[in-house]
Amino acid sequence: MSENQALPGSSSSMCPGCQGDGSLLLPCGHCLCPACLSLCQRELGKEQTGCTECVSRQLLDGVMKGLLDALFQGQPRRHPPETAEGIEEGGDVCREHGESRNVFCMEDEELICEQCQDEEHQDHECNSLEEATQECKSRLIQKYGVTSSYCIHGSCGLSKSVAVKMDGFANSIIRKWLGLPRCLSEVGLFGRKAQMVLEPRESTDQLRELREAVWSLQEKLETLKKAKQSCQETTQHVRRQAQNTSRLIKQNFEKLHQFLRDEEISMLRKVSEEEEQKSRKLKERMDSLSEETRTLTEAVDSAEEAMSAPDRDFLKSYKVTSERMSSFCAEHPLELHGFLINEAKHLGSLRFRVWEKMQNVVSYTPVILDPNTADVCLSLSEDLTSLRFTDEEYSPHPKNPERFLQQQCVLACEGFLSGSNRWDVEVGDCTQWELGVMEMTDSIRTGCLCTLSLSEGVYKTNPPAEAPLKLRRKPQKVRVQVEYEIGRVTFSDATDNSIIYKIKQRFTEKVFPYFSNTCKRHPLQILSEKVSVYTE
């Protein structure tokens, strides 16, 4: 048989390029008619071995590899498991029986030998390698979005219809890359660098299915990219949060440290002052004793001199000597009272007394705002007790599920399920605010609100009141009190504790304090409570 032989007339002798009869069998096993073969040789060169279909398959493999690399760029690769001891490289021999593993168990999804099939897989569906390969590939293809039925076709492992669709998709991409005319798309792309022979298109519906599958993958890819970008932005925000939180913690502890250092200096100064005072008194006492000792010594010497004098002289000075000696016989207190350091005064309950003084530098706020729920238009203070409305985002925030969007509100970081709880908020001259509680159910979007608000000079409640609220004066401080078991939320003027409005609401979930501010000029401030230290 010659190198290029004509095949008998049959459907298999049809030229895949022009759909004409009389195709020639090429050495590679594919068929082309003389006209297409001549065109192929002119485009590819006579020295090119193989036909356009061979080269197109290689080109399609390259294109698909590039598409897959682009889709899964940056994803971790899964490494194949290590070869088990006693199994030849490739895993073709059963480790237990030493026979070739030429049967695939469809239930356990593993290669087995015939002896394993007879012993452990008698009731399982087992197929030959070829049948199992076709079945598994069909399952994979159907699982990932192509709805038409498939028969595994060719060595590429895809059905004929899918292969045609992928050829068309790759054909359009390659034509754009090479700048070739659309007229070549029905027969193939012939060039010195790339070529592709397309089989007859089955239907536009199948092409549409392939495009929809590709679009679905592209949408998933965009979703993954956005999710990855969101994770990166969240990571940066978490880093900023950690840095800012660490800075504020250091500042607060520095204030406490400074207070303790100042208190330490003050206490040490008092000890030093007492020491100086007591030492000065002791020195004065020592000087007085020294003077008395000198005077008494002189008196003793004078008396001894008088006693040694002649009798007449002694009797003459006796009265003076006696009076002088009697003056030194008076009792002089020699004990030292109150000259020691009062250690009990300085050391007694030292830590408690310092803690008691810390009331001036330590404040307690019953409600702390949660910045992770704050709308991006709200700016919270560093101690998380006040909120201010801003036109622009003061810092980037991730769109985490807990955050309010387009609602200009924020929740407290802690809620409650029982008891009576209250907190005071200084509204001042703020013109647009809303205070109350939100009951958390599935999410913050579906929570029940019980609030009092001011907008455009009108006070409103949620749920709405039966009649408009009329206040005698504008409150500067609003007190919110929630009695969970009773199911009542009371709003009052914190200045004189006069009632503004009461809401009856039966609570079944955790309740969180709720705050909203849309006034650009004035913030809302949660007031701190007085801290007192007492003993029982």
Side-chain angles (χ1 to χ4, degrees), residues 491-506:
F491 300 94
S492 58
D493 190 336
T495 304
D496 56 5
N497 207 27
S498 58
I499 303 298
I500 299 176
Y501 189 74
K502 292 183 179 180
I503 298 176
K504 294 288 293 183
Q505 176 66 43
R506 183 175 178 270

Side-chain angles (χ1 to χ4, degrees), residues 415-421 482-486 507 509-511:
F416 44 87
L417 281 165
S418 62
S420 178
N421 302 268
V482 181
E483 297 168 283
Y484 191 92
E485 286 80 6
I486 299 177
F507 299 115
E509 303 291 337
K510 182 176 286 190
V511 172

Side-chain angles (χ1 to χ4, degrees), residues 62-230:
V63 171
M64 294 308 299
K65 182 178 183 300
L67 290 175
L68 292 176
D69 289 343
L71 285 173
F72 298 100
Q73 183 178 5
Q75 300 296 322
R77 301 299 180 111
R78 293 189 294 178
H79 301 284
E82 297 180 358
T83 305
E85 184 179 358
I87 301 180
E88 297 180 0
E89 186 177 359
D92 295 335
V93 178
C94 177
R95 180 174 58 182
E96 183 176 357
H97 302 103
E99 297 182 3
S100 176
R101 300 195 297 176
N102 53 8
V103 180
F104 187 80
C105 178
M106 302 301 294
E107 295 187 14
D108 295 338
E109 298 181 351
E110 61 178 355
L111 285 170
I112 59 175
C113 66
E114 295 181 356
Q115 191 170 350
C116 291
Q117 180 182 4
D118 296 337
E119 294 178 358
E120 302 177 3
H121 303 267
Q122 293 181 356
D123 299 331
H124 296 176
E125 179 185 356
C126 298
N127 296 333
S128 64
L129 298 184
E130 182 178 357
E131 294 175 350
T133 301
Q134 294 178 357
E135 178 66 22
C136 290
K137 288 183 179 180
S138 298
R139 291 180 181 180
L140 291 176
I141 293 173
Q142 293 175 0
K143 182 178 180 181
Y144 291 102
V146 183
T147 57
S148 59
S149 60
Y150 294 92
C151 59
I152 304 303
H153 174 72
S155 60
C156 62
L158 295 177
S159 69
K160 183 177 180 180
S161 61
V162 175
V164 170
K165 296 172 185 177
M166 295 179 69
D167 287 346
F169 180 64
N171 182 44
S172 62
I173 295 177
I174 297 173
R175 185 174 60 251
K176 292 180 180 179
W177 285 352
L178 300 179
L180 298 177
R182 297 177 58 87
C183 60
L184 297 178
S185 62
E186 293 298 324
V187 176
L189 298 179
F190 297 95
R192 291 180 174 84
K193 294 183 178 180
Q195 62 280 345
M196 179 179 295
V197 176
L198 299 179
E199 299 180 9
R201 301 174 184 260
E202 293 187 359
S203 68
T204 58
D205 293 338
Q206 295 174 340
L207 180 59
R208 188 180 300 109
E209 291 177 1
L210 178 62
R211 288 176 178 173
E212 290 176 355
V214 173
W215 290 339
S216 177
L217 290 177
Q218 290 176 345
E219 290 177 357
K220 291 180 180 179
L221 178 60
E222 291 298 324
T223 302
L224 291 176
K225 289 182 178 179
K226 291 180 180 179
K228 182 178 179 181
Q229 183 179 1
S230 177

